Each structure stands twice: as structure tokens, then as C-alpha cells.
Amino acid sequence: MLEKVVLKKKRIDDYAPVIGQEKVAYLKEVAKPIQGLRVLHVNATAHGGGVAELLNSTIPLLNSLGLQAEWGLLCKEEPFFEVTKNFHNALQGKYYNLTPLAEKIYLKRNRLCAEMLESGYDLIMIHDPQPASLRRFHGRGNAKWIWRCHIDTSRPNMDIWNFIKPFIEEYDATVFTMKEFVPWNIKAGCLYTIAPAIDPFTSKNIDLDIAVCKTIVAEFGIDLSRPLLLQVSRFDLWKDPLGVLEVYRRVKEKVAGIQLAYIGSMADDDPEGWEIYHKVKEQAKDDPDIFLYTNLSGVHSFEVNCFQRVADVVIQKSIREGFGLVVSEALWKGAAVVAGNVGGIPLQINDGVNGLLAQNNEEFVEKVLYLLTNKKERHEMGKRGHDDVREHFLVTRLVREEIEMYRELIQKPVSNGKAMRLL
Ligand code: UDP
């Protein structure tokens, strides 16, 4: 049996005060015809990164709506995660030399996990490249299979894409965050675009008293009388942590008291994290106003919530980004955000309205300085950001779109995996 994540309990009715009773009633209505549907989601890790964050909320909500949803994990193994992190990077466009050994490590682990995957599900949703070939090794069984891609695959390294593509094309449906991410030559059963979302009732996003947040942030060494710049992201090259240091240093030339907090938890399936952390630490070592935290230094979801509420400006300096849940998380808290104009970020930030988009370091510096000196603007953008997230990026919308997709798929005849392109 695949290892199963112990799920939290969530009640859909608890969301009514935030999204309104009508939307909750609509969700119940949409879910009614598929109550009892047995759904399995599979990904690589229960901790760290956006996918785990999403599944922690969507699966309990599916259960609250009467489906029987479970969350299974790929069995862990060190060389496998090294290989799949390389696949992940290459699918986002980084150079990669795909070797027969890497293929073998990848396929062996998928084959083993496929043997551990029980039957009895109506629908199996596989997240990201790590478990993508489970469908091949397990066979269809009686389930419909969905592959959910959370990364920016608009310009993949073609070696790795051509290796993964035949596995993906066996699925009944594939889901991308944006249509721009759909690789041009994919032939999949059905293509959907669904954007991720955040949960307002997790310790990461729950409303908190600002006095409490300040106390917590001060305990981590931040001087509350001076401005604070924040980035919350795994230590990952696509999140450009060294670029964050560069922007901070240039802002410091104009605002001497500025402090930088970089919060980067370590995900189980991301072996690169520590290596990059040490590089950043080395470059930051002479500056007492740079604070690096990981989950191992006691900064977990609740503390991230506090930092996002206290920071003067939140930045997200990504150079590739599948979606960037952190952006919606910060907007939800009314934070002033400057973020890279890449991938899923512009879905969330309407430049100049609810936050600012930046193309390069110069623009980041200029826009951070602008927000630091315009408190009223910061406040107004933050307010609009909160409203926009309520409208578009709460988990209840994501759950509705997933349920609508499940309903469509279970009615469709089984696909031979080479059907037409629907987008
Ligand atoms: N996160 C966290 N602690 C950290 C760094 C990240 O809790 O130190 C969370 C962050 O709040 C968000 C998720 O991890 O919920 C990252 O998702 P995102 O989509 O931004 O990026 P990904 O890591 O999936 O590329």
C-alpha cells in the first residue's frame, strides 16, 4: 500500500463567512452527483512546497463535500529525488543531460510504487513529474487518470519532455495552471487549466492580531522600529535567492535601516535546498540585518503568517514560477508585494493595482523603494490584493473547478490517450 497522509478535518460550512452562503450551497450542489466517488491524489511529499500546501486543504474539503478522497505519497528514496529535482528543473527549461542511469532510477521507483498502489479508486490524480509514470506501470484499472502539472512547462528541455511525454499522453486528462504552460506538442485526452489557490483557514493564512504577529517577529530578532523586506520561498534557483540579496543591498544604499528576512523551508523532495541555503548564508554572513530562517529554525506556517503581516514589503523574485502561492498568501494579508513578472505571478498581480510587477533587479529596487516611501499606496494596494484573492484564489474555487472536472471525466468514455487537443 502507498503511504497515506493523515488528513486534517475541514468543514465546508466554515467557509461561508468568507465566500458567502450561496457559494457554499453551490459547491454542495455540484458535488452531490459524485458523492462517494473514490479519489486518490498522489505526489512526492507531504511537507514543503506549494503542492503539499494545496493537498492539505483540497483533500479534506473534498471529503467534507461527500467524496472519499485520499492522499498517497511516493515512497522516499534519496537518488530518486535528486533525479526528479533535475527533471523538475529541466522541465522549467534548465539544461540537463538525461542519462540512462537517471531514467533507470526514475522508472524503477515508479514501478515499485505502482505495485504498491491499490485498486478500487474511481479517479487518480497524479501531481507533477515525480510520479508521472505510475499510470504506465499500474495500468488503467477501473479509474480515470489525471496528471496535474504545477510547474512552468512552456519552454521545457526537450530531452526530458520527450522522455516524460509518452507517460503523460496515457492519462485521460492533464491539468496546467495556465494555457501558456501547455507544451506545444502534447496530445492528451483532455486539457484543463486550473489555477491553484490558498486556504484562509490554515495557520499560514488565518487572520491574526497584528500585535501578536509583531511579538513573534521580534522574537526572531527583527527590529520592529526599522523597515523589513521579506521573501518566503524554498532555497531554489528559480526563486533567485541571490538576486534577493542583491536587491536588498541596493535598497540598503538608500534606506540604511532596512532588514531582510528570507524564510525557506526544506521540502523532503528537494535535495538542492541545503546547497543553495549555504551559498546564500555565505554571501549574507557579514550583514547582521539579513535573517535566514528555515523550518529547522522554528519558522513554520504560523510564523510565516506573522512575517507576511509585519513585513513592509514582500518580494517574490522568481525567474520561473508555476504559480507562486506565496504571492496570494501575502496579498491575502494586505501586504505590499513586488513580484517577478513570470509564470503564474501575473495571474495574481494586476500591476499597479494590487501590487507591482518587476522584470529585473533594477525594477525590483525601484519598486521596493517606491513602496517603502509610499505608505498610503501600500495600504491601498494591500486592500485590493485581499479582495482579489477572495474573488479568485481561495481554495473553495479550486475545489469547485476540480469537482466540475471530475464530473466531466467520469462521464467520458475511456480515452486511448491520443485524443484531440481541446484548448
Ligand atoms: N513555505 C513555507 N515556509 C517556507 C517557504 C515556503 O511554509 O519557509 C510555503 C509557502 O508559504 C507556500 C509554499 O510553501 O505555501 C510554496 O508554494 P509556492 O507555490 O509559492 O512555491 P513552490 O515551493 O511550490 O515552488
Side-chain angles (χ1 to χ4, degrees), residues 91-93 149-156 180-181 320-322 343:
L91 284 169
Q92 293 214 122
C149 180
H150 293 273
I151 58 184
D152 174 353
T153 41
S154 54
R155 289 158 291 180
E180 290 78 359
F181 290 174
R320 285 270 206 293
E321 190 58 79

Side-chain angles (χ1 to χ4, degrees), residues 15 31 88 206 208 219 228 230 248 257 268 287 342 383 392 414:
Y15 291 72
H88 169 107
I206 195 89
L208 291 175
E219 278 178 4
L228 176 65
L230 171 71
Y248 155 80
D268 289 348
D287 188 335
V342 292
K383 216 167 150 310
H392 303 292
V414 291

Side-chain angles (χ1 to χ4, degrees), residues 175-348:
V175 185
F176 292 84
T177 295
M178 304 163 64
K179 68 176 186 329
E180 290 78 359
F181 290 174
V182 181
W184 63 273
N185 60 354
I186 190 171
K187 293 195 190 78
C190 300
L191 281 165
Y192 290 86
T193 51
I194 301 180
I198 65 161
D199 185 343
F201 292 124
T202 56
S203 55
K204 172 85 49 72
N205 297 318
I206 195 89
D207 205 7
L208 291 175
D209 185 324
I210 190 69
V212 172
C213 298
K214 285 184 173 171
T215 306
I216 300 292
V217 168
E219 278 178 4
F220 280 93
I222 304 294
D223 176 354
L224 296 176
S225 68
R226 295 193 277 139
L228 176 65
L229 195 58
L230 171 71
Q231 174 154 309
V232 179
S233 276
R234 287 177 297 108
F235 287 96
D236 177 300
L237 291 177
W238 301 118
K239 314 287 182 186
D240 198 14
L242 297 175
V244 174
L245 295 187
E246 166 74 13
V247 168
Y248 155 80
R249 288 202 174 104
R250 289 175 53 188
V251 169
K252 201 177 178 81
E253 289 166 12
K254 300 266 173 9
V255 182
I258 189 91
Q259 303 162 94
L260 169 70
Y262 192 113
I263 303 177
S265 69
M266 298 298 167
D268 289 348
D269 64 338
D270 184 358
E272 273 182 339
W274 283 112
E275 199 185 310
I276 297 173
Y277 169 80
H278 288 299
K279 269 191 200 150
V280 176
K281 195 165 177 210
E282 179 58 28
Q283 290 214 8
K285 73 173 191 267
D286 297 326
D287 188 335
D289 290 333
I290 301 178
F291 297 82
L292 303 182
Y293 307 106
T294 70
N295 42 328
L296 303 185
S297 40
V299 179
H300 303 287
S301 295
F302 170 71
E303 289 78 14
V304 169
N305 191 341
C306 296
F307 271 88
Q308 286 171 329
R309 288 178 194 277
V310 169
D312 295 273
V313 178
V314 171
I315 64 171
Q316 188 54 39
K317 235 211 128 279
S318 305
I319 45 186
R320 285 270 206 293
E321 190 58 79
F323 181 70
L325 283 177
V326 277
V327 172
S328 276
E329 288 166 4
L331 294 174
W332 178 244
K333 287 148 199 154
V337 181
V338 184
N341 189 9
V342 292
I345 290 176
L347 288 179
Q348 303 168 74

Side-chain angles (χ1 to χ4, degrees), residues 11 13 25 103 112 135 146 235 261 265 284 336-337 369 392 407:
R11 282 170 13 104
D13 290 313
E103 287 185 15
L112 182 79
R135 158 78 181 83
I146 304 170
F235 287 96
S265 69
V337 181
L369 284 170
H392 303 292
R407 281 182 53 171

